[in-house]
Amino acid sequence: MVARSRVVAEPRFSRPVGGGPRLLAWVEAFAARSDLVVAPADGSAPPAVVTADVGAASVGAYGGGVFCWVGPHRLVYAARDGRLMSIGAAGGPPVLLHEGGRASAPAASPDGSKVAFVVERDDACEVVVVGVDGTGVDGAGGMRGADGPRTVSTGADYCFDPAWSPDGSRLAWHEWTFPFMPWDESRIVVHEVGRDGATIAAGGAGVAVGQPRFAPDGSALAFVSDATGWMNVWVSRPDGSGAQPLLDEPAEHAEPTWGPGQRSFAWSPDARAIALNRNERGFGRLVVVRRDGGGARDVARGWHHGLDWTDAGLACVRSGARTPTSVVVLDPYAPSSRRVVARGPVAGFEAAGLTEPEPVTWPSGGAEVHGLLWRPLPGARARGGSDGEPPLLVLVHGGPHGQATAGFAPRIAFFLARGWAVLAPNARGSTGYGRAYAQALTGGWGDVDLGDVVAGIRHAREARWCDPARIAAMGGSAGGFTVLQLAVRHGELLRAAVSLYGVTDLLDLASTTHRFESHYLDRIVGVLPDEAARYRERSPITHAAKVSVPVLVLQGDSDPAVPKAQADAIVDAMRTHGGTVEYHVYEGEGHGWARPETAQDELERVERFLAAHVLQA
């Protein structure tokens, strides 16, 4: 059975006025619903849901940046239906601030009079400012346009994560322009409140940036940048001048910007240090770096997301390969003080004997390719086998600019407990290994990464990480694309394949996917119509007649990124040519599963499928 897990995200402390008590809020998601939960930061009272009437926006795929505090006892949040709402920390009826489009990433001005936020529509994504009472902000408040909300961004195709300077005189945000994705090339811009336009503070040609955040005393602006080849935290003057990496090292301090709201670093309350989550080849570590030098001081192992640091401590969402997701509060200078405020999945996983993966590498196309290898749990045995070698599940991550990490993964734990080994390739194009490694996929999606995964499977067989005769592949989205390519082009390596909402037809995807990824393929495949032949050749549906292994396809009927028609088409094509295909569509599900019953059904279906076609074959 899979845990009916609850997702927790985005812990944020209130900013009390006059030394009042602090509150801590976070997002909890369960059974396709997200809500804001509030509790005293000192743990003196139990958490309480405050958005029971109008639920919060999703923190799932492409989601995040759900809420902000406005003063000590009020929050502004993006509602599930796209509106921007205000609500008291004790609950009550929400107040409408803005409607029209999909709101996200609200940020309150220091005086609490206005909120900057992102509005995404089908034709644009902009930074907008509105008064906290829902009215327009007049010139006296620093924003012109008293007749309604004021758009302050200046025409970029996408804008995320507005952030105010402590005196309210500046507003910074992250933006980029098609055909680039934010991890390819993007900018931090700074807008002088009360003036038109904005100036580029960081990023630009050949550089990716993100997460602008002013120091609490207003002395500096921090952001992440890969200008040195690795996505490190940088610090500049408030206008962006004089920028230098806080810690120049071959490790990443942020993940790719798939949605608003990422907070992989946080300023200390006195602005003298920054806490950040370091990505160490798929393993997370929380460190503190002082601005006056001295390098990084370790705080704790594990992945630490959603960082927020005040005099009440550092709040974050923590997880690891052996520990479930939880909201914790700790003193970065006394990590043993860590206190769990809220849990994600139900209790019990700590006693399950989960294991951490091993970082592994193998050669492919003249490059060293990275991955993570999980051995089966001690004592777990799969049915059949030879010489005690386990069957292998090759689990391909999505993106393709994603990364398999040593975080909490119930899907992996499910198969480890059933005697499977799991190999998670981080083929070229994966993030977490530097800019050059990620950009190696430019023009090469469906070729470079496929070759790396094929090389990884062959290496796993030769290294005897598994029973060479019992290998299956599974992946979602871009990972499903790779798995389907394996099934139709390299079936000799597998006994079965599982695609979760996988891409099947690149030409169709280029014209039907959502706006955020509408030019993604221009960079990683090629520009149409010139490269139409390449799109056809790399599409699994083109080679559907060659499928030689059983395939299980699982798809949501409300997927905006990879529409259901993609799955329908390849299932029909493989069946027409005599392929063994099982197909199931989940009603109401999108790009990734929101309902716990769907996640449970997926694992039960996959287990039956693999038992029939891999373990008993």
Side-chain angles (χ1 to χ4, degrees):
M1 296 283 287
V2 63
R4 296 173 63 81
S5 61
R6 184 182 298 271
V7 176
V8 292
E10 301 193 5
R12 301 288 298 276
F13 288 110
S14 65
R15 292 338 192 230
V17 176
R22 285 195 185 273
L23 299 175
L24 181 65
W26 61 89
V27 180
E28 288 196 1
F30 181 73
R33 180 184 173 94
S34 296
D35 283 297
L36 291 183
V37 177
V38 175
D42 61 6
S44 59
V49 173
V50 300
T51 51
D53 293 334
V54 181
S58 170
V59 293
Y62 308 97
V66 175
F67 76 98
C68 70
W69 283 97
V70 182
H73 300 296
R74 195 155 193 87
L75 305 106
V76 170
Y77 74 101
R80 186 170 58 252
D81 59 9
R83 295 180 294 168
L84 189 72
M85 315 293 287
S86 173
I87 196 166
V95 176
L96 175 66
L97 300 186
H98 183 270
E99 61 184 347
R102 297 171 294 280
S104 66
S109 63
D111 64 3
S113 67
K114 47 191 175 283
V115 176
F117 61 103
V118 172
V119 176
E120 184 176 1
R121 303 187 302 274
D122 291 341
D123 63 345
C125 183
E126 301 168 324
V127 173
V128 174
V129 175
V130 69
V132 295
D133 58 359
T135 65
V137 180
D138 61 21
M143 296 292 168
R144 304 170 193 162
D147 295 332
R150 154 106 180 188
T151 298
V152 296
S153 53
T154 56
D157 288 310
Y158 262 89
C159 303
F160 277 1
D161 298 333
W164 296 90
S165 62
D167 63 0
S169 66
R170 291 184 172 96
L171 186 64
W173 62 82
H174 179 204
E175 68 175 34
W176 64 96
T177 304
F178 294 147
F180 299 105
M181 296 298 282
W183 49 83
D184 294 323
E185 182 174 301
S186 53
R187 305 174 293 276
I188 302 296
V189 298
V190 176
H191 165 75
E192 299 287 340
V193 174
R195 300 181 182 179
D196 291 329
T199 59
I200 297 175
V207 176
V209 291
Q211 299 186 60
R213 210 158 294 135
F214 289 97
D217 63 359
S219 64
L221 172 68
F223 50 89
V224 295
S225 169
D226 68 1
T228 60
W230 294 83
M231 187 64 81
N232 293 162
V233 172
W234 286 55
V235 178
S236 72
R237 299 185 185 95
D239 62 359
S241 63
Q244 295 289 331
L246 175 71
L247 187 65
D248 186 355
E249 61 175 359
E252 308 260 83
H253 301 164
E255 297 171 66
T257 304
W258 284 103
Q262 184 180 174
R263 297 179 66 86
S264 66
F265 73 89
W267 283 99
S268 65
D270 62 6
R272 295 180 180 178
I274 287 178
L276 60 91
N277 183 79
R278 176 197 280 156
N279 182 340
E280 300 175 343
R281 295 177 177 261
F283 292 79
R285 186 184 301 272
L286 180 65
V287 301
V288 171
V289 186
R290 292 191 60 83
R291 290 178 65 189
D292 56 9
R297 187 182 62 80
D298 288 357
V299 177
R301 295 183 65 220
W303 286 93
H304 297 75
H305 294 106
L307 302 180
D308 189 26
W309 191 356
T310 72
D311 55 12
L314 189 147
C316 60
V317 175
R318 183 193 181 280
S319 75
R322 295 181 294 183
T323 52
T325 304
S326 59
V327 173
V328 302
V329 175
L330 57 84
D331 178 349
Y333 299 108
S336 61
S337 67
R338 187 175 73 201
R339 177 170 53 88
V340 175
V341 178
R343 289 185 176 275
V346 294
F349 279 102
E350 294 91 336
L354 301 183
T355 59
E356 290 192 340
E358 307 165 27
V360 294
T361 60
W362 58 87
S364 175
E368 181 182 61
V369 176
H370 299 271
L372 297 175
L373 174 66
W374 282 261
R375 309 282 185 176
L377 294 187
R381 299 284 182 185
R383 285 177 285 182
S386 60
D387 300 325
E389 293 170 337
L392 178 68
L393 180 62
V394 180
L395 192 60
V396 187
H397 68 68
H401 287 95
Q403 183 187 9
T405 65
F408 187 67
R411 181 183 283 135
I412 292 176
F414 181 88
F415 287 101
L416 298 181
R418 284 153 177 78
W420 288 75
V422 176
L423 175 64
N426 280 319
R428 280 173 290 177
S430 301
T431 49
Y433 301 93
R435 179 177 177 88
Y437 196 82
Q439 292 295 316
L441 200 63
T442 302
W445 189 37
D447 180 22
V448 171
D449 55 324
L450 177 62
D452 290 351
V453 174
V454 167
I457 295 172
R458 289 175 175 156
H459 186 79
R461 295 169 62 168
E462 294 167 1
R464 308 305 288 192
W465 293 341
C466 62
D467 179 347
R470 297 191 298 164
I471 299 176
M474 177 176 174
S477 189
F481 170 72
T482 303
V483 166
L484 289 169
Q485 284 186 309
L486 289 169
V488 300
R489 304 177 72 170
H490 295 279
E492 76 281 359
L493 299 175
L494 306 176
R495 298 298 289 267
V498 180
S499 170
L500 314 177
Y501 40 90
V503 175
T504 72
D505 185 336
L506 293 176
L507 282 170
D508 179 74
L509 184 71
S511 63
T512 60
T513 193
H514 57 165
R515 183 174 179 270
F516 180 77
E517 296 183 57
S518 59
H519 291 267
Y520 195 5
L521 301 191
D522 292 3
R523 290 276 296 170
I524 60 177
V525 182
V527 178
L528 290 171
D530 294 351
E531 301 296 344
R534 181 185 295 176
Y535 278 64
R536 293 189 187 93
E537 172 58 25
R538 296 183 185 175
S539 294
I541 197 165
T542 302
H543 308 281
K546 301 177 183 178
V547 64
S548 59
V549 297
V551 179
L552 171 63
V553 177
L554 303 177
Q555 176 73 38
D557 70 355
S558 302
D559 190 337
V562 181
K564 173 177 171 289
Q566 290 249 332
D568 292 342
I570 198 164
V571 168
D572 289 347
M574 288 190 293
R575 285 175 173 170
T576 297
H577 292 95
T580 300
V581 185
E582 294 184 23
Y583 184 34
H584 184 75
V585 176
Y586 293 108
E587 183 178 354
E589 292 285 12
H591 200 63
W593 315 140
R595 298 178 176 88
E597 56 268 28
T598 304
Q600 179 169 325
D601 185 78
E602 172 218 302
L603 292 185
E604 291 173 348
R605 286 179 185 274
V606 173
E607 184 181 27
R608 290 193 301 267
F609 177 79
L610 296 183
H613 298 290
V614 179
L615 301 184
Q616 297 179 0

